[in-house]
Amino acid sequence: MQYYGVVIHHSVCPSINGKGFDFYITRNGSIIPSPDQTDPLYVHICLEGDFSEPRHHYTSEEKEQFFLLHKLILRLAGTFRFQTDDIYPHTISCPGFFFPWSQLVISPEDRYH
């Protein structure tokens, strides 16, 4: 199976409705896989929350979501052989205008922690 990258959603996206994603990352840090494939070309990941409003800081739960999203993307990229920067928004409004894309700068060479 070959995927070409990851599509990011937030849970307030009207097309989600409990489906339309391959993985759902909750605010409490759970990763829930979907029993059904969403798209034969891209892996769809939905984060619980609404990123359409500006924020001055992120909660510890949101930071944990981003950490888990990083780890999941790295794992999927390694498994399905796509680049870790092949990350796309679902639409112009999903995952929200204020989604922190800068948090998703991923490099497998950066091993600092």
Side-chain angles (χ1 to χ4, degrees):
M1 183 167 288
Q2 171 69 47
Y3 288 106
Y4 297 100
V6 171
V7 175
I8 305 293
H9 301 259
H10 61 168
S11 61
V12 298
C13 178
S15 69
I16 293 296
N17 296 327
K19 58 187 177 203
F21 57 85
D22 298 297
F23 295 95
Y24 186 85
I25 303 177
T26 67
R27 286 187 178 138
N28 71 3
S30 296
I31 299 176
I32 302 168
S34 172
D36 301 314
Q37 182 184 24
T38 301
D39 180 341
L41 301 177
Y42 294 90
V43 177
H44 290 251
I45 301 174
C46 180
L47 276 74
E48 182 179 13
D50 182 354
F51 298 97
S52 61
E53 298 294 327
R55 292 193 176 95
H56 298 292
H57 61 80
Y58 293 98
T59 66
S60 59
E61 289 178 331
E62 289 168 325
K63 290 177 185 176
E64 179 70 12
Q65 276 186 310
F66 298 135
F67 174 77
L68 291 171
L69 180 59
H70 286 154
K71 298 294 279 184
L72 183 56
I73 290 171
L74 283 170
R75 173 74 55 100
L76 291 168
T79 301
F80 297 111
R81 303 181 193 274
F82 59 82
Q83 297 299 312
T84 56
D85 60 353
D86 290 333
I87 304 169
Y88 307 97
H90 174 232
T91 65
I92 190 92
S93 61
C94 176
F97 184 74
F98 295 99
F99 185 82
W101 291 105
S102 63
Q103 300 275 337
L104 292 181
V105 176
I106 299 172
S107 171
E109 286 77 39
D110 288 342
R111 299 292 181 198
Y112 304 109
H113 53 100

